[in-house]
Structure formats: C-alpha cells, structure tokens
C-alpha cells in the first residue's frame, strides 16, 4: 500500500480550514471550472464540479472545454423540510439548476447543472430558508439518516431528535462557508476544528439511526450506526454499530463492502460522546495515504474490533454493555397513508429513482409545488429517494391525495418497482461506467413482465442498480444488485435478505441487459417452482445453493 500521504491531505492542511482559493476560483470567468485544489475543497461546502458526459466527446472534437456545471447536495438531517422550504427548493431548481430536484439515498436533495455564475446565489437562496450544504460532501460526517417519520410515535420523535443532535455535534465548525457564500464576517486566526482538526477526516463518514423493525436506513452499511432499543416506557438506549460501508473498486480485492460490527449498548445520553469518540478514532487511525482504504471499515479491520471498541470506550469514557437483540423486518419504505400517534396522517409517495421533475405524463414537480402551497405539516425525504407528506390533518387528506394522483405522484406500481432504487450515474456522475437512473425504469418494466410470466406478480424482491461499484444505491445489500461494469454491462449480485442484514455476492459478471433478463427468467422460473412458503427470493438463492452466503467481506467476491 502507498505510504505517501495522499495529495488531498496536503490540500486540506493548507486550506486554512477549507477556504483555499475558492473565492478566486469563483471569480475566474475564463473557465466554468475551479482550480483543482478548490474542486476538492468545494465538496466540504456541499458541491461537486461535474461536466455533462453526454456532451464530452462533441465538445472535445470542437476543442471546447468540457461543459462544466456543479452538483450541490444540501444538508438535511432526518430529511425534513417545511412547505415553505420546499417552495424555495423548487423555485431554485427551476431558475438556477437543471429544472429538477434529485432526492438521494441519504435523505436529502441535490441540484444538478448549476453554472458557476449561479452557484453563490443558489447557496444564498437556500440558506435564506435555513437550509445549508455544509458537510453535504467532503471528508466529514454526512447527512445523518433517521426514519423519516418522527411524528409516527413518541419514540420516533425522540430518536429523530437524537439524530439531529448527532448531526449538530459532528458538524465542522469552520466559518469558511459563511464567509465565502454568505458574506459573513472573516475570522482572523480565530478559526478551529476541535473535533476534526485541520486535516478533517481521512475520508467521508456516514451515520444512521435506525428504529426497528424498519431498517429503511440500511444501518449496517454506515460507518457509524445507532439502533434504537425501546421498552414499554420508551427509549432505553442504542446498540452502537461501527465499520459498515459499500464502496469497492472493480479488480481490487483489497476493497470490499462491509457490514458494521456491534460495539454494544449505550444509554441515550451517551450518544454524543460515543459518536465523537468514533470520529476521533477514525481521525487519528484512518488511512491518510490511500483514499481507497481510508473509510472506517478498513480502520476497524486493521485495528481489530476489540481494540477499536476499547479505544472508543477510553475516549468517550463510556463502557459498552452487551448489545440487545433486535429484529429488523424490512429495508426500503412503506407506501401510502399511515396515521400518526398525534391523529395526523402521513402519505409516503414513491418517486422513481428520486427524480422530481415534470415530464409530459407526470408533472411531479408541479404536483409537489401545489401540495406545498396547501400543506401545513412538513415533508420528509426518505433514505430510499422517496417523499413523505407528513402531518396532514384528516380534513386535508382528500385534497392532497387528489393533487398527488392528478400529477402522477400516486400511481399504482408493482411491489418490485416500489422496492427498486438506482443511483444517479450518467450523464452527471464522473464515476459512472454504465447507466442507472436513466435505464432502470425501462428495465423494471421488463423485469415486471418476467415476474408476471412466472406467476409472481406480487414479488417484493429488493432490486438496486448502480452505474459503478461505489455503491451509492447500496446495491450490495439488495436481493438483486446490478453494478455497472462498463457501457451497458453490469455485474449481477444475488443473495441479500430483503432486510439489509446480509451482503450479496457476485453471481454473473458483465451482463448486458438481455443477459440480465435471461438470467432472471431462469431464476424466477426456479423460484416460482421451488420456493418454500413465504421464502424470499434472496433466501431462496442461498438455500438452493445458487451461491454461498458471504461470511467474510474480505474474501473478494465482488469482481
Ligand atoms: Fe455516492 C461518490 C451520488 C449515496 C458511495 N456519489 C458519489 C458522487 C459524488 C460521484 C463523485 O465522486 O464525483 C456521485 C454524484 C452523482 C451525481 O451526479 O449526482 C454520488 N451517492 C450519490 C447519491 C446522490 C446517489 C443517489 O442516487 O441517491 C447519494 C447521495 C447521498 C447523500 O445525500 O449524501 C449517494 N454514495 C451513497 C451511498 C449510500 C449511502 O450513503 O447510504 C454510498 C455507499 C455507502 C458508503 O459510502 O459506503 C455511496 N459515493 C460513494 C462512493 C464510494 C465510497 C467508498 O467508500 O468507496 C463514492 C466515490 C468516492 O467517495 O470516492 C461516491
Ligand atoms: Fe456515480 Fe457510481 Fe455513485 Fe452511481 S454508484 S452515483 S455511478 S459514483
């Protein structure tokens, strides 16, 4: 492994707490891009430089610079926003973005296609309604996931509050964001990062809080996880998990997806101390030479879980108790209306692959705008790219449902489709090797037809597709994972358990769409004929020996 410190570490160290020369880069009108070092720092401010990959070749031939624009990701702990905030998010997308809002797998939203000249204005507009993008990306703690429905019960409300507190406690403290984007006062020499230090973390860091029996946050795939433990009297504590992650690199078996290990049970009031201690251990022990091996999962592997646990205990002054047994029953979202503990109603809408936009047969953006004008509760983005209209009084239910139906937000969909997710991939993602968001809808139609042809119209199998092995749609905990390998081709992964508790494994490599359908045709046929009562597709693939279960992440089965 490379022992020279990674170039990004030098950029961070010399950035004066993330300022770099971002102001100068932004002022340079000769290019739509940023200085390369600033392009790294910009991530901590919540945005990425991108170029339209559909136009790359054409512009290259015309000797033009790539068509640069920016993707901005907001910070939205627990995915919550008010109707007023939504109306601003919507208006900004239409005026300063590419006309769509992209809900993400980490409960927030992204804008794509922002031109350099519009970026500062956009950041100011979202901040005017109290939404920022600090730590949306970069080597810090990211948006903290939590079940999107705090008002479902008292427990949900309490746990959601802890998720917000964790988010606040792990937020970078530099004033650079305020200075550069919000024209805040300059802090001369007074800036510091008590938790992160001047080089921040070696890599991105992700935290999720789960409320069993729902594993909608895929808690085991996060660097740091908290699983709420409740008794009759309410919340008694959290099982703490550490060392989950999805990203891997094709052809490099030293990289792998990993499920988090259990550290133990803690009381609610110990949450912040433990979260900060885990971050501090990663800060001091994480790999700063190879970014491929810098996530917490590799730190846990290299330290060993016992010594990692001891180090977290020492730094937090908390002793872990044995973890409580928990039972997760499903991953993904539950759709339609549910009544909350306070008598209000919550409507979960399926947003295909998270893209809120207006197309001829579905005016999702317009529909959401109309709902936001009427709605008095709030909105919750889910960890699966969907949207909850939360806190609807009985008297508004009918009108909101009518608006949702009229604008294509509430269509009848197969369970298979409702359980599917695709990452963004082309044309904006620089890492994409294959399509995902743009091709899954049509592929799903074919898969639905296949399932129906085998008498399986109600199949609930979790299908997730990504354009590369980074794992942004968490494909390695899907029952069927499709991971981009090259243009039009995918690795087919099988064996997840539909609850996010088991990694899947490579079944077939480099399949084109026809090959995927051919394989699924064969598999659905067998499943229809040989499955046990209530046996899920993922469990079936293991039981009949199509492939062995994954017992150790490091065995190198992803490529
Ligand atoms: Fe991701 C990088 C999109 C969730 C693992 N991810 C990217 C970038 C920024 C590409 C890049 O490096 O320039 C993608 C921007 C595409 C675009 O045009 O918008 C991108 N990731 C996304 C989103 C929008 C996918 C989506 O369709 O919803 C999700 C935004 C989440 C958010 O709001 O913060 C998103 N990314 C995830 C997840 C899922 C999760 O966090 O629950 C993962 C797997 C979990 C994990 O981190 O291990 C994930 N993204 C990655 C990785 C691999 C990290 C690794 O450890 O190897 C990269 C590449 C990297 O960091 O170098 C990446
Ligand atoms: Fe891009 Fe790969 Fe993430 Fe998809 S999985 S958004 S292709 S980085």
């Amino acid at each position: 492994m490379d022992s020279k410190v990674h170039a990004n570490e030098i950029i961070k160290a010399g950035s004066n707490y993330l300022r770099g020369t971002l102001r100068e880069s932004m002022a340079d009108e000769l290019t739509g891009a940023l200085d390369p070092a600033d392009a790294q720092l910009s991530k901590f401010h919540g945005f990425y430089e991108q170029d339209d990959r559909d136009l790359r070749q054409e512009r290259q031939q015309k000797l033009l610079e790539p068509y640069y624009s920016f993707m901005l990701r907001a910070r939205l702990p627990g995915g919550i926003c008010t109707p007023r905030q939504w109306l601003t998010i919507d208006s900004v997308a239409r005026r300063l973005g590419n006309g769509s809002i992209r809900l993400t797998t980490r409960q927030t939203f992204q804008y794509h296609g922002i031109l350099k000249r519009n970026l500062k204005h956009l950041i100011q507009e979202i901040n005017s309604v109290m939404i920022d993008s600090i730590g949306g990306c970069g080597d810090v703690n990211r948006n903290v996931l939590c079940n999107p429905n705090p008002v479902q019960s008292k427990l949900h409300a309490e746990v959601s509050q802890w998720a917000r507190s964790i988010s606040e406690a792990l937020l970078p403290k530099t004033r650079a964001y305020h200075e550069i984007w919000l024209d805040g006062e300059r802090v001369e020499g007074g800036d510091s990062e008590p938790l992160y230090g001047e080089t921040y973390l070696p890599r991105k860091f992700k935290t999720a809080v789960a409320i069993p029996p729902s594993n909608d946050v895929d808690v085991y795939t996060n660097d740091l996880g908290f699983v709420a433990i409740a008794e009759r009297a309410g919340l008694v504590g959290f099982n703490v998990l550490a060392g989950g992650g999805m990203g891997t690199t094709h052809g490099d078996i030293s990289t792998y997806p990993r499920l988090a290990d259990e550290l133990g049970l803690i009381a609610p009031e110990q949450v912040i101390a433990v979260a900060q201690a885990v971050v501090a251990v990663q800060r001091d022990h994480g790999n700063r030479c190879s970014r491929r091996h810098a996530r917490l999962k590799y730190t846990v592997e290299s330290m060993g879980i016992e010594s990692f646990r001891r180090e977290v205990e020492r730094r937090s002054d908390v002793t872990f108790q044995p973890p409580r047994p928990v039972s997760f029953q499903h991953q993904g979202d539950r759709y339609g209306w549910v009544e909350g503990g306070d008598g209000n109603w919550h409507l979960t809408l399926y947003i295909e692959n998270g893209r809120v936009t207006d197309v001829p047969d579905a005016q999702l953006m317009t529909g959401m705008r109309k709902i936001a004008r009427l709605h008095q509760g709030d909105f919750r983005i889910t960890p699966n790219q969907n949207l909850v209209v939360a806190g609807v009084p009985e008297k508004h239910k009918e009108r909101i449902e009518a608006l949702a139906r009229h604008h294509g937000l509430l269509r009848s969909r197969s369970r298979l489709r409702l359980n599917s997710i695709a990452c963004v991939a082309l044309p904006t993602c620089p890492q994409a090797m294959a399509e995902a968001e743009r091709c899954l809808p049509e592929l799903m139609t074919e898969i639905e037809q296949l399932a129906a042809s085998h008498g399986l119209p109600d199949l609930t199998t979790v299908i997730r597709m990504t354009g590369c092995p980074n794992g942004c749609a968490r494909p390695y905990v899907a029952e069927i994972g499709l991971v981009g390998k090259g243009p039009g081709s995918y690795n087919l992964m099988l064996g997840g358990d539909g609850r996010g508790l088991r990694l899947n494994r490579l079944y077939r490599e480099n399949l084109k769409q026809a090959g995927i359908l051919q394989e699924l045709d064969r598999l659905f046929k067998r499943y229809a004929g040989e499955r046990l009562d209530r046996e899920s597709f993922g469990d079936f693939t293991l039981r009949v020996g199509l492939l062995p279960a994954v017992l150790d992440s490091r065995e190198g089965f992803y490529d």
Side-chain angles (χ1 to χ4, degrees), residues 44-356:
F44 292 79
H45 297 248
F47 63 92
Y48 281 73
E49 179 181 299
Q50 300 185 320
D51 73 287
D52 188 328
R53 295 184 55 184
D54 286 347
L55 303 178
R56 229 182 233 181
Q57 213 182 355
E58 184 192 324
R59 291 186 65 95
Q60 224 166 20
Q61 277 160 1
K62 291 184 179 159
L63 302 179
L64 294 168
E65 82 167 6
Y67 189 72
Y68 288 117
S69 67
F70 295 88
M71 174 274 274
L72 181 129
R73 186 181 291 159
R75 182 177 68 94
L76 211 60
I80 304 174
C81 68
T82 64
R84 178 165 165 254
Q85 287 174 323
W86 183 271
L87 289 173
T88 300
I89 294 168
D90 165 274
S91 150
V92 164
R94 286 181 288 124
R95 287 178 294 110
L96 304 172
N98 71 353
S100 76
I101 302 163
R102 179 55 156 74
L103 312 184
T104 75
T105 50
R106 288 198 76 77
Q107 268 184 307
T108 184
F109 65 90
Q110 289 185 176
Y111 294 120
H112 290 99
I114 311 162
L115 297 179
K116 190 170 162 182
R117 62 173 178 273
N118 291 330
L119 192 56
K120 184 167 177 179
H121 189 40
L122 183 148
I123 294 176
Q124 293 188 334
E125 283 212 28
I126 60 168
N127 273 273
S128 74
V129 289
M130 312 295 284
I131 297 176
D132 64 57
S133 55
I134 303 171
C137 325
D139 298 341
V140 288
N141 182 55
R142 303 289 184 88
N143 208 36
V144 176
L145 299 186
C146 185
N147 181 283
N149 204 345
V151 274
Q152 191 172 316
S153 71
K154 224 171 123 243
L155 175 72
H156 283 73
E158 196 179 347
V159 173
S160 166
Q161 197 45 50
W162 280 114
R164 281 174 167 261
S165 304
I166 297 167
S167 173
E168 287 304 314
L170 302 185
L171 206 58
K173 299 284 182 273
T174 170
R175 295 273 306 158
Y177 184 90
H178 298 87
E179 271 173 27
I180 299 173
W181 310 108
L182 308 178
D183 299 327
E185 239 170 75
R186 196 175 177 99
V187 182
E188 293 298 347
D191 231 350
S192 73
E193 287 287 6
L195 177 60
Y196 290 115
E198 60 174 11
T199 47
Y200 294 82
L201 293 181
R203 202 63 162 89
K204 55 173 68 164
F205 187 91
K206 298 183 173 180
T207 306
V209 185
I211 309 174
S214 171
N215 190 18
D216 54 353
V217 298
D218 280 326
V219 68
Y220 292 91
T221 67
N222 283 262
D223 296 86
L224 174 61
F226 294 94
V227 180
I229 305 296
E231 285 173 354
R232 274 208 173 161
L235 183 69
V236 293
F238 294 93
N239 280 356
V240 183
L241 313 170
M246 294 274 92
T248 174
T249 304
H250 286 314
D252 179 352
I253 59 164
S254 68
T255 65
Y256 43 84
R258 185 180 192 279
L259 296 183
D261 289 311
E262 275 178 333
L263 293 180
L265 179 76
I266 58 166
E269 59 277 11
Q270 295 172 324
V271 158
I272 302 300
V274 167
Q276 289 180 330
V278 172
V279 167
V281 176
Q282 165 67 349
R283 177 196 65 206
D284 298 344
H285 293 263
N287 186 330
R288 292 195 183 253
C289 300
S290 160
R291 286 181 69 80
R292 270 190 194 179
H293 304 97
R295 292 292 295 273
L296 183 76
K297 59 185 175 183
Y298 301 114
T299 313
V300 169
E301 287 286 352
S302 67
M303 290 177 74
I305 188 66
E306 289 312 325
S307 97
F308 182 83
R309 182 185 291 114
R310 274 197 303 277
E311 189 59 15
V312 173
E313 287 186 330
R314 189 182 69 77
R315 291 181 189 234
S316 61
D317 205 16
V318 168
T319 306
F320 288 106
Q321 302 302 313
R324 293 280 176 88
V326 286
S327 164
F328 284 113
Q329 283 161 20
H330 51 82
Q331 57 191 149
D333 294 331
R334 298 289 159 266
Y335 296 93
W337 287 105
V338 289
E339 189 175 6
D342 60 356
N344 282 328
W345 291 82
H346 317 291
L347 174 63
T348 304
L349 301 169
Y350 169 69
I351 308 290
E352 192 154 38
N353 302 324
R355 186 67 69 178
V356 183

Side-chain angles (χ1 to χ4, degrees), residues 2 7 92 140 146 151 186 201 212 243 245 253 284 327 380 405 409 425 438 441 455 497 511 536 540 543 556:
D2 195 354
V92 164
V140 288
C146 185
V151 274
R186 196 175 177 99
L201 293 181
I253 59 164
D284 298 344
S327 164
R380 316 274 159 105
R405 270 193 205 291
L409 286 155
R438 292 199 295 199
D497 63 358
L511 295 178
S536 70
F540 168 81
R543 181 182 58 82

Side-chain angles (χ1 to χ4, degrees), residues 50 53 71 73 102-106 110 112 206 246 350-355 383-385 419-441 444 463-476 478 480-485 490:
Q50 300 185 320
R53 295 184 55 184
M71 174 274 274
R73 186 181 291 159
R102 179 55 156 74
L103 312 184
T104 75
T105 50
R106 288 198 76 77
Q110 289 185 176
H112 290 99
K206 298 183 173 180
M246 294 274 92
Y350 169 69
I351 308 290
E352 192 154 38
N353 302 324
R355 186 67 69 178
N384 298 288
Q385 308 169 331
N419 275 343
S420 68
I421 334 183
C423 72
V424 178
L426 293 164
T428 51
C429 180
Q431 316 258 6
M433 300 167 178
E435 296 278 357
E437 179 189 326
R438 292 199 295 199
C439 84
L440 189 62
M444 283 309 302
I463 301 181
R464 294 179 175 179
M465 175 184 250
T466 55
C468 84
N470 281 325
C472 298
R474 302 186 288 268
Y476 306 115
I480 299 178
L482 295 165
V483 176
K485 187 81 198 282
Y490 300 84

